[in-house]
Amino acid sequence: MKVKSATFLTSNTDVAKCPQEPLPEYAFIGRSNVGKSSLINMLTHQKHLAKTSGRPGKTQLINHFLINGDWYLVDLPGYGYARASKKDKAAFQKLIERYFRERRQLLSAFVLVDVRHAPQPMDLTFMEWLTNAEIPFSIVFTKADKLKPGALERHTAEYLQAMEQAGWAETPPYFVTSSASGEGKEALLGYIGEINVAFRASQR
Ligand code: GTP
Ligand code: MG
């Protein structure tokens, strides 16, 4: 699939105020600073569509982007921002939980993890939560440009093995990406395109 147009629509703290058109929706979630906003810019080939920052905690709201006038990409705040206050952490958790529970048109979530790191308890807990809430998701390994090809393969294999050892009978689909090099773009957009087609067929 080609991205021909990508526009920012709204930023919200309230799920009820998110765009109401019943278009297919995909959400990017993961630890603060993992590269969610950068990946949205890479996929849409726009440098500043989603706001990025070297400092964690940049994205604080639910941000909707309309792609090809046809489906939504959603940039969410990151979890695990160590310097956030207790109150902010609780508010964040509430916001995210409500978003995932109430956003009916969400077809799939993408849980972003830094390819250099072993599975973090916070990521696995969140994936478990998505599974229990019956929300389909994939893993998106980010910052692939930071590793040499051999190490890249080893890290992704070890990550999935660690998930199996932690009791996951089935590991989710996964993508290896780099917002710096553009790696993974076709695979990720192709995957979204397939889900869109299946969704539209089911609506007929
Ligand atoms: P929050 O909004 O704070 O949760 O962060 P985020 O997950 O949206 O991360 P963001 O896209 O703002 O990127 C965080 C930092 O990582 C920035 O300095 C980016 O330039 C850098 N970064 C993101 N993706 C990549 C990548 O693929 N490769 C490299 N080398 N750096 C990246
Ligand atoms: Mg962000």
Side-chain angles (χ1 to χ4, degrees):
M1 180 186 21
K2 286 230 162 359
V3 171
K4 293 182 197 124
S5 68
T7 47
F8 168 74
L9 291 179
T10 53
S11 290
N12 284 296
T13 49
D14 186 351
V15 185
K17 291 189 186 138
C18 288
Q20 291 304 310
E21 281 271 304
L23 299 174
E25 178 158 315
Y26 302 87
F28 286 4
I29 179 88
R31 290 170 76 89
S32 202
N33 219 40
V34 71
K36 300 175 292 295
S37 303
S38 302
L39 187 63
I40 287 182
N41 292 339
M42 186 270 264
L43 292 174
T44 58
H45 36 84
Q46 290 193 35
K47 280 207 175 104
H48 306 291
L49 186 63
K51 290 197 184 110
T52 65
S53 166
R55 272 184 299 151
K58 178 70 183 170
T59 310
Q60 304 261 347
L61 302 162
I62 304 168
N63 298 292
H64 272 78
F65 301 93
L66 179 65
I67 314 297
N68 295 345
D70 196 38
W71 52 281
Y72 297 127
L73 258 186
V74 177
D75 191 15
L76 293 170
Y79 48 75
Y81 175 39
R83 283 166 64 195
S85 68
K86 254 192 182 162
K87 197 169 142 228
D88 284 350
K89 279 183 190 162
F92 163 80
Q93 191 159 344
K94 225 171 147 186
L95 174 79
I96 295 298
E97 286 197 17
R98 266 201 71 195
Y99 169 80
F100 280 106
R101 285 199 194 285
E102 293 179 20
R103 198 68 180 153
R104 289 278 143 242
Q105 66 219 80
L106 178 75
L107 296 190
S108 188
F110 291 96
V111 179
L112 276 64
V113 298
D114 188 317
V115 73
R116 295 169 293 178
H117 302 154
Q120 312 277 306
M122 207 178 280
D123 292 319
L124 294 182
T125 304
F126 189 72
M127 291 187 224
E128 262 173 53
W129 187 85
L130 286 174
T131 305
N132 291 334
E134 299 185 356
I135 295 160
F137 69 92
S138 308
I139 296 178
V140 173
F141 293 105
T142 64
K143 310 194 184 185
D145 57 286
K146 298 264 192 189
L147 290 179
K148 297 208 171 83
L152 196 57
E153 236 169 75
R154 187 163 47 80
H155 274 241
T156 50
E158 281 172 4
Y159 194 101
L160 298 167
Q161 258 167 25
M163 278 185 84
E164 280 165 17
Q165 277 159 11
W168 289 76
E170 240 181 87
T171 49
Y174 70 93
F175 301 89
V176 177
T177 68
S178 162
S179 298
S181 75
E183 180 173 354
K185 181 176 173 176
E186 272 75 35
L188 205 48
L189 288 175
Y191 181 72
I192 290 174
E194 279 172 24
I195 301 177
N196 282 345
V197 168
F199 173 75
R200 296 246 145 78
S202 76
Q203 299 296 96
R204 264 187 240 127

